Amino acid sequence: MRARARVLEPAAPVDPTDPVDPADPVDPPIAGGSTGGRHPARRGRVRRRRKARVIERPWMDFRDLWTEALAGVLARPVRSALTTLGTVLGITTLVITIGVSATAGNQIVGRFDALTATSVTVVVPPPPPSADPVPLVDWSGVDAVRRLAGVDSAAAVADSQQTASVQVRANDVVAPGEVTGQTMAVLATSPTLPAAVRGKMTAGRFFDDGDIARHDRVAVLGDQAARLLGINSVQDSPAVFLKGQSYTVIGILGGAEREQQVSTAVILPPTTASDQLGLRVVTRVVINTALGAAKQVAHQAPIALAPGAEDALVVTAPPDPTKARKGVQGDVNGLFLVLGLVSLVVGAIGIANVTLVTVMERIGEIGLRRALGASRRQVAGQFLVESTTIGLLGGVIGAVLGMVVVVAVSAIRDWTPVLDVRLAFGAPVAGALVGLLAGLYPSLRASRMEPVDALRS
């Protein structure tokens, strides 16, 4: 307590027995000679004012207020710790949800960038019916696409409605009452298909330019097609039968991330498919690009495939990854932010309840402070500082624990943690603000107590 406030004492009343000084000015008479009912002896009396005295009233500066509030918090360490725990849980949950959502959003966008943002597909429309149709895209056009800057791999694919469902058998023996074949799609592709679909050969090899030049009757099976036909290895040169013709299986393609229909299809060299099944026209070109080059490749690929007729081709390019990143992170952040705010509200309710109970238990202390001269503002400020201190401590501890959990989760999942510096400094401020708001009602209730009633209770 410090004595610095100054209060002026009101002037003392005038004593009617004071003598009248003739030199003092007198009250003027009322018109008509009347004295207004005053005694003549008092008509010239002066209303003297005594000099006001300065009365010192105790007050508290911020340091005293902080000391008293800290003493109040430390006086009940167990209760203060449990009260702080509510804020710690709320802030920790808020930091974890925001941090994990940002990290997960970055991971989702990273996967999007790795696959979708680097995929370009050029669809070739069928040629008009004529005696000698000229295809818009030739099989050699893929080589021109691969020479473009930013292209990692490319492959041409040919299919048709007639080859979308072909009866495929693993042997030429037909047993009555048994299923002897499977209905599968037959595709003709360029030899660069495994890289274009992001797959790998699980057995054997893919056909090459030599097989294409010799018109070899060889085939590559997708992993699901090989499983349906009961072919697990190509060491014994198994064969499949399509429309009465046998084709030697030289490999099995699996793990295709693009063109999922490849896993259930029979893949033939372009020359063999043209000779046996009439698959001569390229229907689409699958292109993989470097990250950030998809837009440029999507513009240049039609020109490289069909110079002069590029407008007839339909290009499917990925959307802008920046917009996708913002959309994914915005959705995930919005969902987890609501959960974090709910936890923070629960912590605020806990602080308000405990602070109110503390006020009711310290009624005698409040009455004694008021009796010693503490004002309502000082009493309210003390409890506000106490609740704000609890919220600040909870915010600091919650921010540290939340960041540790985010880093730990990222390390377990092999993710790159995304931590915002503003979150590290904002979490303690949020905790202090929660404590301040939670202590408003209890502090106001404490300040409204009268000293006499508080001391009596």
Side-chain angles (χ1 to χ4, degrees):
M1 292 286 184
R2 302 191 181 189
R4 293 182 182 178
R6 305 180 64 185
V7 180
L8 296 180
E9 185 183 31
V14 178
D15 189 358
T17 61
D18 289 344
V20 179
D21 190 352
D24 291 339
V26 298
D27 296 336
I30 301 175
S34 174
T35 61
R38 295 179 183 177
H39 192 279
R42 298 266 67 85
R43 189 164 59 106
R45 183 173 57 84
V46 179
R47 298 184 179 88
R48 296 185 178 90
R49 298 180 181 273
R50 297 180 181 178
K51 183 179 180 181
R53 292 188 304 167
V54 177
I55 300 177
E56 302 292 341
R57 176 170 293 179
W59 72 293
M60 298 176 66
D61 61 8
F62 182 76
R63 290 177 298 176
D64 297 332
L65 190 63
W66 171 260
T67 303
E68 293 294 334
L70 189 61
V73 172
L74 297 179
R76 300 167 179 82
V78 177
R79 176 179 295 177
S80 299
L82 293 178
T83 307
T84 307
L85 183 60
T87 309
V88 169
L89 294 178
I91 296 295
T92 302
T93 305
L94 185 63
V95 173
I96 290 175
T97 51
I98 295 178
V100 171
S101 64
T103 303
N106 184 71
Q107 190 71 15
I108 293 172
V109 173
R111 292 184 178 180
F112 170 83
D113 291 341
L115 180 61
T116 309
T118 59
S119 302
V120 176
T121 303
V122 180
V123 179
V124 183
S130 62
D132 187 13
V134 178
L136 290 175
V137 177
D138 189 73
W139 290 96
S140 60
V142 179
D143 297 332
V145 173
R146 287 202 299 267
R147 289 193 293 267
L148 295 176
V151 174
D152 291 338
S153 59
V157 180
D159 56 6
S160 65
Q161 295 182 354
Q162 291 77 17
T163 60
S165 58
V166 179
Q167 190 74 14
V168 181
R169 294 184 292 110
N171 55 67
D172 58 351
V173 178
V174 179
E178 294 182 3
V179 178
T180 59
Q182 299 288 339
T183 301
M184 300 178 182
V186 178
L187 307 176
T189 68
S190 55
T192 55
L193 181 69
V197 298
R198 300 178 184 268
K200 60 181 180 179
M201 300 303 298
T202 59
R205 65 178 180 86
F206 206 80
F207 50 79
D208 53 21
D209 294 334
D211 297 319
I212 296 174
R214 293 189 298 268
H215 294 237
D216 292 341
R217 287 197 301 184
V218 294
V220 175
L221 301 179
D223 53 353
Q224 297 295 331
R227 187 176 297 109
L228 293 174
L229 294 173
I231 299 176
N232 300 321
S233 175
V234 296
Q235 293 181 355
D236 298 332
S237 300
V240 293
F241 295 85
L242 308 173
K243 296 185 177 182
Q245 298 291 333
S246 64
Y247 298 83
T248 303
V249 179
I250 61 173
I252 299 175
L253 176 62
E257 297 181 3
R258 296 186 60 188
E259 301 288 329
Q260 297 295 326
Q261 67 271 25
V262 171
S263 61
T264 58
V266 179
I267 307 168
L268 302 179
T271 53
T272 304
S274 177
D275 297 339
Q276 304 297 328
L277 302 175
L279 287 177
R280 300 181 179 88
V281 180
V282 176
T283 56
R284 63 184 179 276
V285 178
V286 181
I287 306 171
N288 288 320
T289 70
L291 188 61
K295 185 177 181 180
Q296 176 183 353
V297 172
H299 176 71
Q300 297 176 349
I303 302 175
L305 290 171
E310 61 273 8
D311 295 337
L313 304 181
V314 179
V315 182
T316 303
D320 187 2
T322 303
K323 295 181 180 179
R325 180 182 292 107
K326 292 181 179 179
V328 171
Q329 291 183 349
D331 294 341
V332 177
N333 289 343
L335 174 62
F336 284 99
L337 184 60
V338 172
L339 299 178
L341 291 178
V342 170
S343 302
L344 200 58
V345 170
V346 173
I349 295 175
I351 294 178
N353 289 335
V354 175
T355 305
L356 184 59
V357 171
T358 303
V359 168
M360 301 308 296
E361 290 181 351
R362 296 167 63 181
I363 292 179
E365 176 188 343
I366 296 172
L368 181 59
R369 289 181 182 276
R370 292 297 310 280
L372 292 177
S375 63
R376 296 179 184 270
R377 182 180 301 176
Q378 293 169 358
V379 174
Q382 178 181 349
F383 285 96
L384 274 180
V385 173
E386 288 185 14
S387 62
T388 304
T389 302
I390 293 176
L392 180 62
L393 293 176
V396 173
I397 299 174
V400 174
L401 292 179
M403 291 186 178
V404 170
V405 173
V406 171
V407 173
V409 171
S410 302
I412 294 174
R413 302 290 299 177
D414 292 330
W415 291 352
T416 301
V418 178
L419 297 175
D420 194 347
V421 179
R422 295 173 297 179
L423 184 62
F425 293 99
V429 175
L433 182 61
V434 169
L436 178 64
L437 295 177
L440 284 178
Y441 174 71
S443 62
L444 290 177
R445 184 166 182 176
S447 65
R448 292 173 181 173
M449 292 183 181
E450 295 296 334
V452 177
D453 297 336
L455 290 175
R456 183 184 298 114
S457 62

